[in-house]
Amino acid sequence: MKAEIVNGELLPMPPAGDLPNRAAGGVYVSLRQYESVLGTGRAYTDNAALNVSLPNRESFSPDAAFYTGKPSGMKFLEGAPDFAVEVRSENSYGPEAERRVAEKRRDYFAAGTLVVWDVDLLSGDRIKVYRASDPENPTTYRAGEIAEAEPAVPGWRFPVNDLFK
């Protein structure tokens, strides 16, 4: 089971269901194909671990990510991803979940992440793109639109409809 270290404790994260896993996988495949175009960085799937050093958090395990730090071989990656994708699962809704999602996003930015996607498969606001440069004002992409992750993954684009393939 994947987990993150938050406030000194191991925080287990339940496995993803059908739609959230397929959506995160689609983003990963697109990022992986884009690696050679950009010529730098690497795409990572769900369950990759990234060590960080924040007062309240020691690691991240995003649903998909793009990372330009140094390769680490068999060890966990060091540092935050440039781009993190968090796909909401069935337990990621309601006031408490909203608080946790916002807190994790703040942690990503504090650790150096440039862009965080909040992917919501149940609402009309499918992808909210948060940027470290303006974390309180996300860009929203809906079905039929093309999302991006500027400046973390320059030139890369992802059709929102591909979340449902």
Side-chain angles (χ1 to χ4, degrees), residues 91-115:
N91 299 318
S92 300
Y93 295 91
E96 179 59 23
E98 289 298 328
R99 184 193 64 73
R100 286 191 313 268
V101 167
E103 184 176 278
K104 186 173 185 179
R105 192 170 48 248
R106 283 191 295 276
D107 287 349
Y108 272 121
F109 294 142
T113 299
L114 300 174
V115 176

Side-chain angles (χ1 to χ4, degrees), residues 29-103:
V29 167
S30 179
L31 286 167
R32 177 69 190 237
Q33 291 171 342
Y34 190 74
E35 283 179 16
S36 62
V37 173
L38 191 57
T40 183
R42 291 172 316 285
Y44 287 92
T45 62
D46 184 26
N47 208 23
L50 298 106
N51 288 328
V52 296
S53 182
L54 295 175
N56 62 317
R57 178 180 288 275
E58 296 176 44
S59 69
F60 289 111
S61 185
D63 295 317
F66 195 79
Y67 176 80
T68 58
K70 293 180 181 178
S72 61
M74 300 296 281
K75 299 180 185 266
F76 292 167
L77 297 164
E78 290 297 329
D82 299 74
F83 170 48
V85 178
E86 294 290 339
V87 181
R88 290 178 183 245
S89 63
E90 63 183 335
N91 299 318
S92 300
Y93 295 91
E96 179 59 23
E98 289 298 328
R99 184 193 64 73
R100 286 191 313 268
V101 167
E103 184 176 278

